[in-house]
Amino acid sequence: MLPVVLFLVMNTLYAKNVVRDKVSETYRNTLDIFGEKTDRTLSEISNYLNKMAVLDNDVGLLPSFPYGSDNYILTKIRIQNKLQRDIVFYNPVDTVFVYNAGDIFFSTAGPGYDAMKNVLSDNLGAIVKLARTSVDGKWLLWHDKRVPGGDFLVRLTAVSNSELYVGAIIRISELQAQLSLQWKDGDIGESAIYSTNGIRLGNPASGNPAVFDEQITKLAGDPYQFVKDEHTGRRYLMMSRPSQQADFTMIILVSESYMLQALPYFQKATYFMTFGLIFIFALYLFFIRHMLFKPLQQLIAGMKKISLGMLDVRLQTNETHEFVFLANTFNNMVEQIKDLRIGMYEEQLRVQKIELKQLQAQINPHFYMNSLNIIYNFAALKDTDSVKKMALHLADYFRFIMRVNRDLITLDEELKHIGNYIQIQKFRFPNKLDCTYDMPDDLKHVTLPALTVQPFVENAIIHGFKDHRKLFAITVRGELVEDEGETFIVLAVEDNGTGFPDGLLEQLKEGEAQLHTDAGGVGILNVMQRLKLRYEGRASVSFYNRSGEGTGAGVKITLPVVKEAEREESGRSVQLAGR
C-alpha cells in the first residue's frame, strides 16, 4: 500500500506541476503578444513623429517664419489640422503636440483641453532638457497628477537646425486599461504596470496592489514565478514583461487556484488516504514499541553513553527473554570495562608522574661543561673572586634544577634562577649581556612549573646572540589576563638579536618544528612537553619576531593560574610519588 499511496501522491504533484507549467506558458505567451504589440505601437508612433519632423514641409518651414507673422500663423493652423487628423489613427496616443520656443499647439483625444495645456506648459521645458541628455532613444516616463492616472509616456523628436520639437503623450492608465482587458474576462487575474525601480504606475487603486507591491521585488528579472500573499496565504502566478521602448514593466497576477481548477481536491483526497494509512501504521508501531523498539532504544542509548565515557549506565530488563539476556550481558560488560579502565587510568597517572619528574630533572651537559671551563680559566688566572662568584652562582643554579620534591614554584623563584643563569653567562661575555624584568610585583607570587621561562632565555642567548660586538638585551614581561572567566598569566621573552628565520618561524607557528637550546639540549621541547602534561592543552607557547621596536625574536607563554586547591593536590601527588 505504501508504494501505491506514494505513486498517487507523486502523480498528483506531477499533474499539478504539468498543468501549472502549461497554463503559465500559455499566459506568458499572451503577455508577450500584448507586450510586443505595445512596443510595436510605440515604435510606430515614434516613426510617425520622426517622419513629421523630417518630411513635413509645414513643420520644416515653421521655424523660418517670425513668431506671430501671418505665414507663421497659417503654417501653425495647417500643422494643427494635421495633428487633429492624425491623432485618431494612433491609438492609444492621448496628445500630439508641437513645441517651438515657448509656443505650444497640440491636439488631444481625451477630455480636459485646458488641463492638458497647463500640463504641457509646466513640464515641456524640463522634458526637453531631459530628452537632450537621453541617449537610449526610449520614451520618457513622466508624472503629473493633473493627467488621469498621474503617469504618462512622452516622446520628443527635434526638428533639425531649430528649437522646434514634435512630440506625443500616452497615458499609462490607457495602457493599463488595455492590459486589463486581456485578464478581466472571467476574472482570470489582475494586472499592473511598474517602473523599473519598482514604483507602481497608472492607477494604483485597481487590481491587487498588496500582492503586487510586496512581490514585485522578488521577480528579479525572471519571466514568471509563483509568489504567495502573506496576508491571505494564497499563491499566485506572477509574470512580467519589460517594454523595449520605455522604462516600464507589465505585471500579470493569476491565482493558482484558478489555474489548477479541481486538481487540489484530488490532491487533498490523496493526502487523506495517506494520513489514514499512517494512522493504521501508528497503531501497529504503538503495539510493537514496547516489545521491540523501546528495548533497542535503551540498548543504543546505553552504548552511546559508554562511548562518551559514562560507565555508570545500566539497562533495565523487561519480560522479553531475549532482551533480558542482552541487558544482563550488557551490564556485566560495562562493569568489567569500568574496572579495567580505572586500573589503566591509575597506571597512566603513575607513568605520567614518572615522566614529568624525568623531564624536570634533565640537565644541559654543554652548559655544565662551559661553566666548568670558565671556573678553570679563572683559577688559572688566579682570579679567586671570580671563581667564588662563579661557583656560588653555579651552585645556586644546579641546586634549583635538582629540586625534585616540588612541582610548582613561584615566578619570583624562577626569575632568581634566571638571574643566576644570566650572571654565569656574563662571565663568558663581559659587558655584552643584559636582562631586564617588566612585571608587577604581585605577579611574582603566581605559581608555575619549574624551569618554564629559563630555557627560553637560554635559547635566546644561544641562537640570537650572533653579533658579540654590541650589547645583547633580553626582556622578560608578564601580565595577568582574563579569558572566558579563567585567569591566565602571559609571560613574554624578547631579545634584540637576529630573530627567527622566516622559514623556521612559519614552521614554528604551524607546529612543524621545535627549538633546542643546543645540539644535545632538550630545553624548549622539555618545557612544551611538561606544560602539555601539566595543563592538558590549556597552556600555549607561541613564537614571533618583534616589529615596531627593532629586530629580535620573541616567545609568548600563556599559562592558567594555578588555584590553591590544584596546588594542594599537586603537593599531595608529589608526596605520594616520593613515598
Side-chain angles (χ1 to χ4, degrees):
M1 291 181 65
L2 282 175
V4 171
V5 172
L6 182 62
F7 173 77
L8 291 176
V9 173
M10 297 301 298
N11 185 57
T12 303
L13 293 177
Y14 176 75
K16 180 179 178 180
N17 292 332
V18 170
V19 172
R20 184 167 55 187
D21 292 342
K22 294 301 179 182
V23 174
S24 301
E25 184 178 353
T26 301
Y27 289 160
R28 175 65 195 178
N29 293 336
T30 303
L31 180 61
D32 288 340
I33 292 174
F34 179 82
E36 293 175 359
K37 178 183 176 183
T38 302
D39 288 341
R40 187 167 55 252
T41 300
L42 295 177
S43 178
E44 291 175 356
I45 298 172
S46 299
N47 293 335
Y48 163 73
L49 297 177
N50 292 333
K51 292 179 181 179
M52 191 171 184
V54 175
L55 301 178
D56 190 276
N57 294 329
D58 291 328
V59 173
L61 291 174
L62 185 64
S64 63
F65 297 132
Y67 179 79
S69 63
D70 293 342
N71 290 331
Y72 182 89
I73 294 174
L74 291 175
T75 304
K76 177 179 177 179
I77 293 174
R78 288 195 298 270
I79 296 175
Q80 181 76 36
N81 292 333
K82 293 178 183 179
L83 297 180
Q84 293 178 353
R85 179 197 65 192
D86 295 340
I87 193 172
V88 298
F89 297 107
Y90 292 96
N91 185 42
V93 174
D94 180 79
T95 301
V96 182
F97 61 88
V98 176
Y99 176 70
N100 182 27
D103 187 19
I104 305 172
F105 48 99
F106 63 94
S107 176
T108 180
Y113 182 88
D114 294 335
M116 182 56 67
K117 182 177 180 181
N118 293 332
V119 170
L120 293 174
S121 300
D122 296 340
N123 294 282
L124 274 181
I127 293 175
V128 168
K129 292 181 180 179
L130 182 60
R132 289 173 178 174
T133 60
S134 178
V135 296
D136 54 6
K138 292 184 177 181
W139 287 67
L140 302 178
L141 187 62
W142 209 260
H143 177 82
D144 194 303
K145 61 182 180 180
R146 292 171 292 186
V147 176
D151 300 295
F152 59 90
L153 297 173
V154 59
R155 175 72 181 220
L156 287 179
T157 301
V159 179
S160 302
N161 302 323
S162 68
E163 295 295 328
L164 184 66
Y165 294 90
V166 181
I169 289 178
I170 298 177
R171 287 184 286 116
I172 295 294
S173 59
E174 181 64 23
L175 296 179
Q176 172 65 37
Q178 295 183 8
L179 180 63
S180 299
L181 292 177
Q182 302 287 331
W183 308 97
K184 283 296 183 180
D185 185 16
D187 294 329
I188 296 176
E190 304 292 347
S191 60
I193 296 178
Y194 280 82
S195 64
T196 54
N197 55 2
I199 300 176
R200 194 170 187 190
L201 307 175
N203 186 7
S206 63
N208 194 336
V211 180
F212 277 125
D213 296 338
E214 292 176 2
Q215 305 292 345
I216 182 63
T217 57
K218 297 182 180 180
L219 282 173
D222 295 337
Y224 67 90
Q225 62 179 249
F226 284 88
V227 296
K228 183 179 181 180
D229 187 352
E230 301 296 339
H231 302 285
T232 62
R234 300 180 62 184
R235 285 172 51 85
Y236 295 88
L237 168 67
M238 180 175 281
M239 297 174 291
S240 66
R241 204 281 185 182
S243 173
Q244 304 298 323
Q245 297 292 324
D247 293 330
F248 68 87
T249 301
M250 293 163 281
I251 308 293
I252 298 300
L253 194 71
V254 182
S255 174
E256 187 181 48
S257 60
Y258 178 84
M259 296 169 53
L260 301 179
Q261 298 296 334
L263 277 178
Y265 297 104
F266 292 101
Q267 186 177 13
K268 291 179 180 179
T270 304
Y271 290 158
F272 281 126
M273 294 174 58
T274 304
F275 293 150
L277 185 60
I278 292 175
F279 178 73
I280 295 174
F281 281 136
L283 293 178
Y284 174 72
L285 292 177
F286 179 78
F287 175 75
I288 68 171
R289 176 178 178 274
H290 182 71
M291 303 296 295
L292 181 62
F293 291 160
K294 188 175 181 180
L296 282 177
Q297 290 176 354
Q298 292 179 353
L299 179 60
I300 294 173
M303 296 176 65
K304 288 183 178 179
K305 291 180 180 179
I306 290 178
S307 65
L308 297 176
M310 302 169 61
L311 299 180
D312 295 330
V313 61
R314 297 294 183 272
L315 296 183
Q316 300 296 328
T317 58
N318 60 5
E319 63 275 10
T320 306
H321 297 289
E322 291 81 1
F323 283 104
V324 170
F325 174 76
L326 282 176
N328 293 333
T329 305
F330 179 85
N331 294 336
N332 293 333
M333 179 188 66
V334 174
E335 190 66 30
Q336 294 175 6
I337 293 176
K338 182 177 180 181
D339 295 339
L340 180 61
R341 182 173 181 179
I342 292 175
M344 293 180 61
Y345 180 72
E346 293 177 349
E347 181 65 23
Q348 186 179 14
L349 287 178
R350 287 192 294 269
V351 172
Q352 287 183 350
K353 290 178 181 179
I354 294 173
E355 182 181 358
L356 182 60
K357 296 304 177 183
Q358 290 176 347
L359 290 173
Q360 187 173 349
Q362 289 176 346
I363 302 175
N364 189 333
H366 292 271
F367 174 76
Y368 179 70
M369 297 301 298
N370 290 335
S371 300
L372 293 180
N373 287 331
I374 293 174
I375 294 176
Y376 174 80
N377 292 330
F378 283 144
L381 296 174
K382 297 182 180 181
D383 187 355
T384 58
D385 291 336
S386 297
V387 172
K388 293 178 182 179
K389 293 180 182 180
M390 182 67 178
L392 181 61
H393 288 301
L394 189 62
D396 291 338
Y397 177 85
F398 284 109
R399 183 182 298 110
F400 178 87
I401 65 174
M402 293 303 294
R403 290 175 182 173
V404 295
N405 60 338
R406 297 180 61 190
D407 188 32
L408 297 175
I409 64 171
T410 64
L411 180 59
D412 187 51
E413 291 176 300
E414 179 80 6
L415 296 180
K416 290 180 180 179
H417 177 62
I418 294 175
N420 286 324
Y421 174 78
I422 292 296
Q423 292 299 325
I424 294 172
Q425 292 293 350
K426 284 184 177 181
F427 282 106
R428 294 183 60 194
F429 309 105
N431 302 321
K432 296 300 181 180
L433 286 177
D434 183 39
C435 183
T436 59
Y437 308 102
D438 180 12
M439 61 186 64
D441 292 336
D442 56 351
L443 196 63
K444 296 181 180 180
H445 299 290
V446 177
T447 58
L448 71 165
L451 295 176
T452 297
V453 183
Q454 187 272 337
F456 293 100
V457 175
E458 182 179 352
N459 185 79
I461 295 176
I462 293 175
H463 295 284
F465 189 20
K466 301 297 184 182
D467 187 0
H468 293 176
R469 293 174 298 176
K470 67 175 184 177
L471 180 66
F472 184 73
I474 301 175
T475 303
V476 181
R477 295 189 177 91
E479 62 176 343
L480 289 177
V481 298
E482 296 286 338
D483 186 13
E484 298 181 355
E486 188 173 3
T487 304
F488 292 86
I489 178 174
V490 179
L491 301 172
V493 179
E494 299 177 341
D495 60 63
N496 63 344
T498 58
F500 295 111
D502 293 338
L504 178 60
L505 183 61
E506 291 299 325
Q507 293 179 353
L508 289 171
K509 290 182 178 180
E510 297 176 1
E512 298 178 355
Q514 298 291 348
L515 287 177
H516 300 277
T517 54
D518 54 29
V522 290
I524 302 303
L525 183 59
N526 186 314
V527 172
M528 301 179 72
Q529 288 177 340
R530 289 192 292 117
L531 294 182
K532 181 178 179 181
L533 288 173
R534 174 71 192 180
Y535 297 106
E536 298 180 351
R538 295 158 58 200
S540 64
V541 179
S542 59
F543 303 88
Y544 59 92
N545 282 329
R546 299 173 59 193
S547 60
E549 300 180 3
T551 60
V555 180
K556 182 179 292 184
I557 310 166
T558 304
L559 306 174
V561 175
V562 178
K563 299 180 181 178
E564 190 65 28
E566 295 181 6
R567 192 182 311 170
E568 294 177 357
E569 179 65 24
S570 176
R572 288 194 296 267
S573 300
V574 171
Q575 292 175 3
L576 292 175
R579 293 176 184 175

